[in-house]
Amino acid sequence: MTASTTRPETTRPATYSTSQKALHWGIALLILVQVPLALAMTNVGEGALQNQLYEWHKSFGLVALALVAARVLVRLSRGAPGAEAGLPTWQRRAAGVSHAALYGLIVLVPLLGWAGTSACCAPVNLFWSVPLTLPISGGMPVGERILGVHTVAAFALVALVALHTAAALHHHLVRRDGTLRRMLASR
Ligand code: HEM
Ligand code: HEM
């Protein structure tokens, strides 16, 4: 999402809204739960526990996707504040590119998981109840291929989030600017 770099300065909001902050941290928390959950479910061995972990992983992932859809809509309609004053151009560009890539991956990762599971392992239910299977044909071979891409994309997301977190901490602890504070709840 590069609206922060493409919108004219006058039309950019001065801060992130409460909903933008809540969605940022809610989605971050879900993703940070999803990764160890996924590693546990694929390594625990077959059985009732594995089935339960799969169900939690799929359901949390679908909740994350719904929140991401809301977040993208808020971002497109409201925009985001410009970078802190004095930031070198290359760092502004790096922030714009990495934020766009983060948005791309938080849409793509759960979508691929949903599509792959719908193809290989229907039905896909939200928390053991609401049926949400996508109409994707091809069975196990197609499902496995899509889930392979889902896994690679998920680990790329983890790597980018690590970089993003390091950048946020660098702003806060080394540059001592307001970048992290403006994504935190305002007092
Ligand atoms: C934020 C969302 C998500 C994240 C961060 C995420 C992350 C991951 C990761 C890291 C793995 C690899 C685990 C491993 O190979 O050890 C994985 C596997 C898997 N994910 Fe997700 N996932 C998300 C959403 C979803 C959704 C929405 C579904 C389905 C509705 C799903 C279904 C699966 C399945 C079935 C596997 C196992 C693939 C296999 O056995 O090779 N995921 N996920
Ligand atoms: C899965 C985890 C995370 C994801 C997917 C994520 C994603 C994003 C995205 C897409 C933006 C751009 C917001 C916009 O332009 O609308 C953003 C901003 C931001 N994130 Fe994260 N984030 C995550 C975790 C974190 C963590 C752990 C921290 C801090 C320790 C953090 C700190 C920030 C800050 C300070 C901003 C504002 C940057 C600015 O205004 O230039 N994020 N995040």
Side-chain angles (χ1 to χ4, degrees):
M1 208 70 20
T2 51
S4 64
T5 50
T6 53
R7 280 180 190 225
E9 193 65 53
T10 46
T11 65
R12 281 186 217 157
T15 59
Y16 289 104
S17 67
T18 305
S19 64
Q20 282 176 306
K21 292 176 196 174
L23 287 165
H24 174 270
W25 293 111
I27 292 165
L29 184 69
L30 274 173
I31 289 172
L32 296 177
V33 167
Q34 280 293 77
V35 175
L37 189 54
L39 293 174
M41 87 193 179
T42 50
N43 288 297
V44 73
E46 282 180 23
L49 176 60
Q50 184 178 55
N51 293 339
Q52 293 218 344
L53 294 176
Y54 266 95
E55 193 71 10
W56 284 111
H57 180 76
K58 290 188 277 177
S59 301
F60 282 146
L62 291 170
V63 172
L65 183 59
L67 294 179
V68 167
R71 182 172 176 186
V72 168
L73 291 179
V74 176
R75 177 64 162 81
L76 290 174
S77 65
R78 190 175 184 276
E84 286 283 317
L87 201 65
T89 309
W90 76 265
Q91 285 188 24
R92 280 169 197 265
R93 291 211 180 113
V97 169
S98 63
H99 290 170
L102 282 167
Y103 269 112
L105 285 171
I106 58 178
V107 171
L108 205 64
V109 167
L111 259 187
L112 287 166
W114 189 12
T117 316
S118 297
C120 76
C121 319
V124 181
N125 291 324
L126 182 68
F127 298 112
W128 293 268
S129 52
V130 187
L132 290 175
T133 311
L134 293 172
I136 296 185
S137 54
M140 190 57 85
V142 169
E144 277 182 346
R145 228 170 295 147
I146 298 175
L147 286 173
V149 184
H150 167 69
T151 299
V152 171
F155 285 120
L157 175 59
V158 169
L160 199 54
V161 166
L163 212 62
H164 173 68
T165 305
L169 293 177
H170 175 80
H171 275 282
H172 194 65
L173 301 172
V174 180
R175 292 185 62 92
R176 294 178 181 275
D177 64 21
T179 304
L180 179 58
R181 273 193 303 275
R182 70 188 190 176
M183 191 44 103
L184 297 174
S186 43
R187 270 179 247 158

